Amino acid sequence: MSSTFELWNPSVSPWQVFSLSQLWIVNTAGPKGTQTVESGWQVFPTKYNTSNAVLFIFSTPDGYKTGCYNHDCPNFVQVNNSIPLGAGFSFYSSISNGTKYMATMHLTWWLYQGNWWLQYGSTWVGYYPGTMYDVGTGTTLHSSANQIQFGGEAVGGYQFFSYNPLFFLPTFPQMGSGYLSNSFFAAQQSSIYYLTNTAGSSAWSKLTAASDTTASCYTSTVSSTTLIFGGGGGYQYC
């Protein structure tokens, strides 16, 4: 599974949690719930102590009952330390004088010899051991996935304006570049494909746009093997 990510720094206020762009490799039939391999960039100020997007990975073997980012637990075996997980990037995409300037990264996951290997650009970073998904009987991510997803995710909160009288509003961060998918300036993931076997054969993904939020918050559009997505969030429940 592979995607080229535009790198953006969406605004995340102190009353909000995070905003990200990522890919998900999913087994929905895990013995203890959904199992995933995940990666992308994330703006999560309270976790990473920066308002800039950082590279992240995440995994869960049991429907998010457990799971962790990066090296917060010892699951991920890193073999090349030149790509630091949880660190920022040298360049980010920007918009200036009506022009969109793109900075990108390319991520690939390959199920090889029972382990999920991460490639950043041309560098093999490390792997999730397939055995970590063997938490019961049945089909697990140790052997295969049955779904792949690409997109953005944002988690908001509530901003309090007064306590007497009590007054607060839901608030959600920007996603991607902060523009909805019908804008030329919207964020993208492109050249999306998946590996069809452990020998490395690949096929272009047939994407279907989906959303689980209101269109005033965020939207997504598909054009061939490119996902276009984003939005401004704001003072509304997204």
Side-chain angles (χ1 to χ4, degrees), residues 187-207:
Q188 296 185 9
Q189 289 189 41
S190 60
S191 303
I192 297 173
Y193 65 89
Y194 63 97
L195 302 178
T196 58
N197 56 47
T198 56
S201 300
S202 62
W204 293 112
S205 295
K206 297 178 181 178
L207 300 174

Side-chain angles (χ1 to χ4, degrees), residues 108-185:
T108 301
W109 287 96
W110 185 20
L111 180 60
Y112 177 69
Q113 295 183 344
N115 301 317
W116 285 99
W117 281 85
L118 172 64
Q119 186 181 40
Y120 178 96
S122 60
T123 302
W124 290 103
V125 181
Y127 63 91
Y128 279 121
T131 52
M132 65 175 277
Y133 296 100
D134 294 337
V135 294
T137 58
T139 303
T140 73
L141 268 183
H142 193 167
S143 59
S144 65
N146 61 11
Q147 188 178 105
I148 53 174
Q149 302 172 1
F150 305 84
E153 181 181 352
V155 176
Y158 290 91
Q159 182 173 349
F160 286 82
F161 293 90
S162 68
Y163 288 91
N164 188 18
L166 183 62
F167 176 60
F168 59 91
L169 291 173
T171 176
F172 277 74
Q174 294 178 339
M175 180 186 292
S177 64
Y179 286 84
L180 296 171
S181 62
N182 61 358
S183 170
F184 171 78
F185 300 119

Side-chain angles (χ1 to χ4, degrees), residues 16-222:
Q16 300 159 351
V17 183
F18 69 68
S19 182
L20 60 76
S21 174
Q22 73 166 82
L23 63 82
W24 293 257
I25 301 168
V26 184
N27 170 28
T28 59
K32 292 188 178 180
T34 296
Q35 300 182 320
T36 69
V37 172
E38 308 175 27
S39 63
W41 60 255
Q42 183 180 45
V43 178
F44 195 164
T46 58
K47 178 171 179 58
Y48 300 110
N49 296 313
T50 176
S51 59
N52 291 331
V54 304
L55 173 67
F56 83 94
I57 61 173
F58 185 90
S59 67
T60 179
D62 53 11
Y64 296 95
K65 299 179 186 69
T66 63
C68 63
Y69 286 105
N70 307 324
H71 291 299
D72 290 352
C73 64
N75 291 341
F76 187 75
V77 180
Q78 189 154 354
V79 300
N80 188 322
N81 292 319
S82 67
I83 308 297
L85 302 176
F89 305 95
S90 299
F91 302 98
Y92 294 90
S93 300
S94 62
I95 299 168
S96 178
N97 297 322
T99 301
K100 179 181 178 181
Y101 299 92
M102 292 181 293
T104 63
M105 70 171 175
H106 189 79
L107 298 180
T108 301
W109 287 96
W110 185 20
L111 180 60
Y112 177 69
Q113 295 183 344
N115 301 317
W116 285 99
W117 281 85
L118 172 64
Q119 186 181 40
Y120 178 96
S122 60
T123 302
W124 290 103
V125 181
Y127 63 91
Y128 279 121
T131 52
M132 65 175 277
Y133 296 100
D134 294 337
V135 294
T137 58
T139 303
T140 73
L141 268 183
H142 193 167
S143 59
S144 65
N146 61 11
Q147 188 178 105
I148 53 174
Q149 302 172 1
F150 305 84
E153 181 181 352
V155 176
Y158 290 91
Q159 182 173 349
F160 286 82
F161 293 90
S162 68
Y163 288 91
N164 188 18
L166 183 62
F167 176 60
F168 59 91
L169 291 173
T171 176
F172 277 74
Q174 294 178 339
M175 180 186 292
S177 64
Y179 286 84
L180 296 171
S181 62
N182 61 358
S183 170
F184 171 78
F185 300 119
Q188 296 185 9
Q189 289 189 41
S190 60
S191 303
I192 297 173
Y193 65 89
Y194 63 97
L195 302 178
T196 58
N197 56 47
T198 56
S201 300
S202 62
W204 293 112
S205 295
K206 297 178 181 178
L207 300 174
T208 300
S211 177
D212 61 359
T213 188
T214 58
S216 60
C217 293
Y218 317 111
T219 58
S220 63
T221 305
V222 166

